[in-house]
Amino acid sequence: LYSKDLYELEIPFSFLGQEIIDKLKDISFSRSKAMANYYWDMFYSIKNMYSSLKKGKNCVIIVGSTKIKNIEIDNSKVILEIANHLGFKTKRILKWNYDKTRRSGLVHKIKGETILIFKK
């Protein structure tokens, strides 16, 4: 498990991620902690992807956006910031929104996904 200490809510590799954590702290400490752990886990995962890939190769990450207590969270922007911080170059960004007519529990929780394509 890559997650930081229980009370570690600092995200030094993403300004946007830190803003989200700070907003969530005012609403729910447990949700802010969970989101901080998610961003730390993604940081280490992307770092491992970067070190594993050969120069000139591509990496694709699919990430969803969500809403927590009336705070819209576009995780793709944070992941983009993390990947660029670690050395990836953004090649392409594709947005995909869920069909609102589809009957699924996901429709109300996850609004869509973003496909991020990076190059080392």
Side-chain angles (χ1 to χ4, degrees):
L1 182 68
Y2 297 117
S3 297
K4 297 295 273 181
D5 185 348
L6 238 88
Y7 300 102
E8 180 64 64
L9 296 178
E10 299 294 319
I11 309 295
F13 45 80
S14 171
F15 295 115
L16 182 56
Q18 189 63 56
E19 280 181 26
I20 292 167
I21 299 305
D22 291 341
K23 284 180 187 176
L24 287 173
K25 270 194 257 186
D26 295 336
I27 295 167
S28 168
F29 179 77
S30 63
R31 288 186 187 228
S32 65
K33 182 178 70 171
M35 190 59 69
N37 283 336
Y38 170 73
Y39 291 145
W40 275 105
D41 288 345
M42 290 304 296
F43 173 83
Y44 285 113
S45 295
I46 295 168
K47 185 176 179 180
N48 286 334
M49 287 181 226
Y50 188 83
S51 66
S52 299
L53 278 176
K54 292 181 181 180
K55 188 174 181 178
K57 297 299 178 183
N58 295 323
C59 170
V60 177
I61 300 173
I62 300 171
V63 64
S65 58
T66 190
K67 186 176 184 178
I68 298 175
K69 300 283 187 177
N70 294 326
I71 297 175
E72 295 285 339
I73 300 173
D74 186 354
N75 288 314
S76 66
K77 291 180 181 177
V78 178
I79 301 305
L80 181 68
E81 195 174 21
I82 293 169
N84 291 159
H85 173 80
L86 291 169
F88 276 111
K89 304 294 180 217
T90 305
K91 189 172 178 182
R92 193 154 184 206
I93 301 170
L94 304 167
K95 296 268 186 187
W96 182 72
N97 293 318
Y98 287 119
D99 181 3
K100 302 220 187 251
T101 60
R102 192 179 83 175
R103 295 193 181 208
S104 168
L106 292 176
V107 172
H108 302 293
K109 294 179 183 175
I110 299 174
K111 304 298 180 198
E113 293 176 331
T114 303
I115 302 166
L116 302 169
I117 304 170
F118 300 107
K119 187 171 193 153
K120 181 173 178 181

